[in-house]
Amino acid sequence: MIEVRRSLEVPHPAARMYALVDRIEDYPSFLPWCLATTVKRGPGQQVAATMQVGKGMLRHEFATANIHDPEQLTIAIELVRGPFSFLRGNWQFTEMETGSRVDFVLEYEFASGVVGRMFAPLFSAAYGRMIDSFAQQAARLDSAAAT
């Protein structure tokens, strides 16, 4: 099993960072490896998401069932279907004096050795830089709002 664990302090409020991660439908506009998303918001905090990911000719789709909790500023991710035998993740956003801390943990294992060998480098790179991508998007949005 592969585990990605990242934490980053950013100069943006925790609620702002939560809102960026919550808006799965916006991912294709700033995550280069995210090609398309479909999002269905259910009752309460339930969110079903499908993501098409890839680079070049290498593409795959996976679906997750998520719990988005805007009061606790957490997002929990569970695999529904895709090229994994296991996938589970969690986002936690914590307010700090100078902004917030964003914590991201993702555990996954590919179902097939062939698919795993093909996708492992893309997934490791993409998810290893996930928090950085959201921090950069927050800065771009702040810059655009200031002009």
Side-chain angles (χ1 to χ4, degrees), residues 95-116:
E95 197 66 40
M96 300 178 68
E97 279 186 39
T98 59
S100 63
R101 188 181 75 237
V102 180
D103 295 295
F104 175 63
V105 177
L106 184 71
E107 300 171 306
Y108 64 93
E109 188 170 306
F110 287 99
S112 162
V114 173
V115 172

Side-chain angles (χ1 to χ4, degrees), residues 23-41:
R23 298 266 318 147
I24 299 164
E25 45 277 296
D26 294 341
Y27 290 9
S29 70
F30 68 93
L31 295 175
W33 50 267
C34 182
L35 306 174
T37 61
T38 303
V39 180
K40 293 179 185 165
R41 299 199 181 260

Side-chain angles (χ1 to χ4, degrees), residues 3 66 85:
E3 179 179 276
N66 311 317
S85 59

Side-chain angles (χ1 to χ4, degrees), residues 28-101:
S29 70
F30 68 93
L31 295 175
W33 50 267
C34 182
L35 306 174
T37 61
T38 303
V39 180
K40 293 179 185 165
R41 299 199 181 260
Q45 303 168 337
Q46 297 176 14
V47 177
T50 303
M51 294 178 69
Q52 184 183 80
V53 297
K55 186 173 183 179
M57 297 299 290
L58 191 61
R59 296 169 187 243
H60 225 296
E61 183 176 279
F62 66 98
T64 58
N66 311 317
I67 302 296
H68 290 220
D69 187 339
E71 291 181 20
Q72 295 297 314
L73 297 176
T74 60
I75 297 173
I77 304 160
E78 292 283 339
L79 178 69
V80 172
R81 67 176 164 76
F84 305 96
S85 59
F86 180 84
L87 182 136
R88 179 175 52 213
N90 187 62
W91 289 92
Q92 174 71 53
F93 306 87
T94 307
E95 197 66 40
M96 300 178 68
E97 279 186 39
T98 59
S100 63
R101 188 181 75 237

